[in-house]
Every structure is written in C-alpha cells, then in structure tokens.
C-alpha cells in the first residue's frame, strides 16, 4: 500500500507572514541595478544633465527626455506631450525620449483637478498645453543664452533648428548636449521669460 504524504494547511496569517518576508528579500535597497522615476540616478549622469524644470532633461549625450505627468494608456499622451515640448524647444524628433513622472503632486499635478496628480477625462492635453510650451521655451532660452555666452555673441543672433544651435555670422554651431553645463548656470529671473516660440 502506497504512502500518501500528509499536506498541512497553512494558516492565512502564517502564509502572509512568509510572503511579506519574501517581498522584503526581493526589494531590499541596493539589490536592484535598474533606475527609473523616483529612484536616485547615477551621480555622474546628474552632473552631465541639464534640467531647467520638472518636465525637461537634456543630457551631454544630446538626448532630450520629456517627463510626462500623464500616463500613456494607448491614447497618445506621451506623443502629444513630447511633441509640444519638442516643437517649442526646436529639438529633432529623433533625439526625444519620454519618461513617466514620479508620484509628486506638487510638481506634476493635473491643473484641471486641483492639487492632484492623475490622468483621465481627456484632460492630458488640455491641462498640459501651455505648461509644456513654457517648459520647452525655458530650456531653449537657456541653451541659446549658453551658446551666446560661449561664443561671445548677442543671443538675438543665435538660432535653433532640429536640435542644432547656430550662429550664422560666424559659422559656428553645436548640439544641445555641448551646452548643458553652461546652460544650467543661466538666469531665468528676467522679464518676459520664457518667450514662446510661436503665438498662442
């Protein structure tokens, strides 16, 4: 006669206690190498990034990262928000990336909902339109000011097109990534800042 092993039924309390211990083992700080929204980035990367506001980050590698405060659920939110910033910044579409914003209602609130962060009710574009334009315009203004300072020319003579900053008179040009460190030192406390690229 074969022996049938005895199977002990675990109590719910005992099971949950064990599961909690397993979760802690998996998510202990320092055990994961991946980075993402809300996680501290590498110190070297921080030094090479230009972050003029909560919605734009430009790296020395010339990548423009748009921080979207709205979730992409197939409705095209990421594309729409990135397009607004890219157009105002005059960035090449090929250099643009999108990253979801961390949970931070103070910086990423849905302006149509009050002090709350969230996506819904077809509100993503409506409440982001002017905010994203200003974010892109601010980044563009600080980059052009940095180029003017480096080349010792009037900022009014600097132009931007498809991610390339140029000074036609001297024949000089450079990508966004070449000016990130100097751009971070530019003042934003001046009248009319930022000036939008096109009329609303």
């Amino acid at each position: 006669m074969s022996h049938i092993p005895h199977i002990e039924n675990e109590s719910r309390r005992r099971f949950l206690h064990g599961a909690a211990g397993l979760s802690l083992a998996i998510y202990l700080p320092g055990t994961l190498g991946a980075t993402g929204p809300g996680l501290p980035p590498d110190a070297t990367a921080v030094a090479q990034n230009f972050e003029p506001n909560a919605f734009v980050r430009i790296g020395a590698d010339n990548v423009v990262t748009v921080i979207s405060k709205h979730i992409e659920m197939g409705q095209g939110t990421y594309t729409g928000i990135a397009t607004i910033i890219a157009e105002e910044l005059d960035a090449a579409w090929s250099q643009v990336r999108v990253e979801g914003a961390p949970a931070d209602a103070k910086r990423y609130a849905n302006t149509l909902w009050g002090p709350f962060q969230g996506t819904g009710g077809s509100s993503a574009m409506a409440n982001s339109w002017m905010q994203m334009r200003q974010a892109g315009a601010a980044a563009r203004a600080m980059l052009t000011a940095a180029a003017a300072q480096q080349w010792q020319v009037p900022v009014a003579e600097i132009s931007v097109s498809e991610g390339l900053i140029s000074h036609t008179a001297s024949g000089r040009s450079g990508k966004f990534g070449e000016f990130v460190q100097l751009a971070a030192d530019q003042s934003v406390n001046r009248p009319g800042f930022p000036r939008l690229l096109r009329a609303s």
Side-chain angles (χ1 to χ4, degrees):
M1 183 175 179
S2 61
H3 174 69
I4 300 176
H6 173 69
I7 301 175
E8 181 181 355
N9 290 324
E10 292 280 344
S11 68
R12 182 173 182 273
R13 181 187 298 273
R14 187 174 175 183
F15 172 77
L16 291 175
H17 178 75
L22 178 61
S23 297
L24 287 173
I26 293 173
Y27 292 105
L28 279 174
T31 60
L32 298 179
T35 59
L39 296 178
D42 179 74
T44 303
V46 171
Q48 296 177 342
N49 287 337
F50 164 50
E51 300 185 36
N53 48 64
F55 304 102
V56 180
R57 181 173 69 244
I58 302 174
D61 58 0
N62 207 42
V63 171
V64 176
T65 301
V66 173
I67 313 300
S68 174
K69 65 178 185 175
H70 292 290
I71 299 172
E72 173 61 61
M73 297 180 286
Q75 78 278 40
T77 295
Y78 275 13
T79 300
I81 287 178
T83 298
I84 296 171
I85 288 181
E87 287 187 349
E88 202 65 49
L89 182 57
D90 249 332
W93 187 244
S94 60
Q95 72 185 112
V96 178
R97 306 289 183 271
V98 182
E99 178 180 298
D104 186 343
K106 288 185 178 180
R107 292 194 300 167
Y108 301 110
N110 184 321
T111 58
L112 298 182
W113 293 2
F116 303 102
Q117 183 176 353
T119 302
S122 300
S123 63
M125 292 299 101
N127 92 101
S128 298
W129 168 249
M130 187 54 66
Q131 194 174 41
M132 296 304 108
R133 290 192 68 192
Q134 291 174 338
R140 183 178 188 274
M142 295 172 78
L143 285 167
T144 54
Q149 180 180 332
Q150 182 167 310
W151 296 334
Q152 294 297 295
V153 298
V155 69
E157 296 179 5
I158 300 293
S159 62
V160 185
S161 179
E162 291 292 305
L164 191 68
I165 302 174
S166 305
H167 182 247
T168 304
S170 65
R172 284 175 286 192
S173 64
K175 297 179 179 180
F176 290 169
E178 298 174 39
F179 303 98
V180 292
Q181 292 188 356
L182 198 56
D185 296 329
Q186 301 304 310
S187 173
V188 297
N189 297 318
R190 56 181 184 271
F193 180 88
R195 183 178 64 83
L196 298 178
L197 195 59
R198 300 171 183 84
S200 299

